[in-house]
Amino acid sequence: MAEAAIGVRIAGLGKSLGENILTNEDLERMVDTSDEWIRTRTGIGTRHIAARQTATSDLALRAARQALDHARLAPSDLDLIIVATVTPDMAFPSVACLLQAELAAGHAAAFDLSAACSGFLYSLDVGARFIQSGRYQHVLVVGAETLSRITDYSDRRTCVLFGDGAGAAVLEPAPAGKGMLSSVLGADGNGRDLMYLPAGGSRRPASMETVQTGLHYIKMNGNEVFKYAVRIMGDVTTQALSGAGLGVADVDLFIPHQANYRIIDATARRLGLPPEKVFVNIERYGNMSAATIPIALREAEEEGRLRDGAIVVLAAFGGGLTWAASVWRW
Ligand code: UT7
């Protein structure tokens, strides 16, 4: 979708990570796997795991404070807080409400958004619309997850993949032509069984039986997700670029969802993007769902890769199925 007259930019970025590190060698002692298999099939070396007492809102709070500092704003400046997560502290209240209280962001409205790994990009789009409509000035968008809490550490097909972290961005108005140039969202609920958490909701409330049969852990058809991811990541990126009137050659930095290095590599090849234009940090963190892209953005900023005027493209896919991409002029 082409953008309106009011631009929306990211004024500040923050990140936080689970306190403990889980290595491939640790996983070798837990399940029948190897460092070699994990590295060659996924590109992952380590992942951060939240300490026992740390919940999603704690990670979100640390990232949010850093993003506000970076934007030189106070919590009282916020009009809206959106948290993208599939691992909230509890079903309700939302993580966004917990965060609003911890930040003392008195007058901000607050809600969570559920779009799995695409959640941060969905939230950026929603936050940007509130600013473009003239309703709000400053929107805090957070992607925060503690996937370790829903990971089965006896299932080698999933437990090697996931980590815990949070990333945050503060949105504010910008001159037209700066900031978000286009954004595309998509979903296909027919793929709902490819990645899901079977129990703990209204369909299958928690019971002795659901706990004993491991239904509170992520279930995933890795092969099918892989195929869909490679196709959709290329398609949604092309759509977002065309919505901004740009082509692949205009891209300075591509920040894809970090789920598997082979998916990132295949997507970049399909698009014709050289490796130096593709941001990759999966080796250190694994897949942190909605938190991967804001954390990558913060690290790209720290590395000086978000220079003024650069064309930056964000793209994600996830459970739902969902997908999204947005194009930014920094
Ligand atoms: O945010 C979105 C979240 N999800 C994803 O993005 C997942 C996308 N999918 C993937 O990343 C990949 O499909 C996986 C990394 C999950 C799996 O890689 P793969 O190359 O598709 O492996 P596979 O599932 O085809 O399994 C190949 C073999 C199987 O053994 P057999 O049946 O051929 O004997 C698996 O049992 O590898 C085995 N295997 C493992 N071996 C060692 C599966 N997991 C492991 C493991 N260590 N951790």
Side-chain angles (χ1 to χ4, degrees):
M1 171 180 167
E3 296 313 301
I6 302 177
V8 178
R9 67 184 284 269
I10 291 178
L13 289 160
K15 69 164 191 185
S16 72
L17 294 156
E19 296 87 341
N20 302 318
I21 291 179
L22 182 68
T23 66
N24 291 349
E25 291 69 29
D26 295 329
L27 286 160
E28 284 175 354
R29 290 189 284 275
M30 296 158 69
V31 287
D32 180 15
T33 191
S34 67
D35 176 57
E36 203 266 333
W37 191 97
I38 300 170
R39 282 184 188 276
T40 53
R41 299 292 182 119
T42 72
I44 303 168
T46 57
R47 56 300 279 141
H48 285 247
I49 304 295
R52 187 178 292 269
Q53 69 279 6
T54 299
T56 297
S57 66
D58 301 312
L59 295 175
L61 180 63
R62 292 170 206 159
R65 286 206 168 115
Q66 197 179 55
L68 285 165
D69 284 350
H70 187 213
R72 297 203 173 90
L73 290 169
S76 55
D77 294 319
L78 294 175
D79 304 304
L80 173 66
I81 299 171
I82 308 174
V83 178
T85 186
V86 292
T87 48
D89 293 30
M90 57 198 85
F92 72 91
S94 64
V95 175
C97 280
L98 303 176
L99 188 56
Q100 190 243 32
E102 291 301 317
L103 285 171
H107 79 274
F111 64 88
D112 286 1
L113 187 152
S114 173
C117 305
S118 313
F120 183 75
L121 297 192
Y122 265 67
S123 301
L124 280 182
D125 192 318
V126 173
R129 305 302 152 196
F130 275 106
I131 292 174
Q132 284 170 340
S133 71
R135 183 159 175 185
Y136 294 140
Q137 291 282 304
H138 294 114
V139 178
L140 173 67
V141 176
V142 183
E145 304 283 9
T146 45
L147 293 178
S148 63
R149 302 284 150 78
I150 56 167
T151 297
D152 180 354
Y153 285 98
S154 67
D155 176 10
R156 69 177 183 172
R157 292 165 302 163
T158 52
C159 74
V160 302
L161 301 173
F162 302 116
D164 301 337
V170 181
L171 299 177
E172 69 176 14
K178 270 283 207 184
M180 184 185 271
L181 301 181
S182 73
S183 174
V184 175
L185 309 179
D188 180 2
N190 293 307
R192 62 194 170 206
D193 293 339
L194 294 183
M195 259 184 291
Y196 71 120
L197 191 72
S202 63
R203 180 73 60 192
R204 302 193 76 168
S207 68
M208 291 289 280
E209 187 236 324
T210 61
V211 172
Q212 278 161 358
T213 51
L215 296 182
H216 297 274
Y217 293 131
I218 300 172
K219 310 293 175 203
M220 188 178 73
N221 180 336
N223 288 121
E224 287 305 312
V225 174
F226 192 99
K227 281 187 260 173
Y228 134 82
V230 171
R231 181 178 57 78
I232 206 72
M233 288 285 276
D235 290 353
V236 73
T237 300
T238 310
Q239 281 169 32
L241 279 168
S242 116
L246 298 172
V248 170
D250 298 307
V251 177
D252 293 301
L253 185 63
F254 178 54
I255 304 185
H257 175 50
Q258 312 277 311
N260 183 321
Y261 179 70
R262 290 188 295 137
I263 295 174
I264 298 171
D265 186 51
T267 302
R269 283 173 197 273
R270 270 192 81 194
L271 289 166
L273 274 169
E276 63 273 16
K277 290 190 172 180
V278 181
F279 190 91
V280 181
N281 64 5
I282 190 171
E283 199 275 334
R284 283 174 287 146
Y285 304 135
N287 179 354
M288 297 177 287
S289 188
T292 61
I293 290 186
I295 288 174
L297 266 171
R298 170 75 197 194
E299 295 193 343
E301 161 81 25
E302 288 166 356
E303 292 170 20
R305 297 177 75 176
L306 301 180
R307 56 173 183 74
D308 196 35
I311 296 294
V312 179
V313 180
L314 314 176
F317 66 96
L321 301 168
T322 56
W323 57 87
S326 51
V327 179
W328 299 72
R329 179 174 285 114
W330 221 258

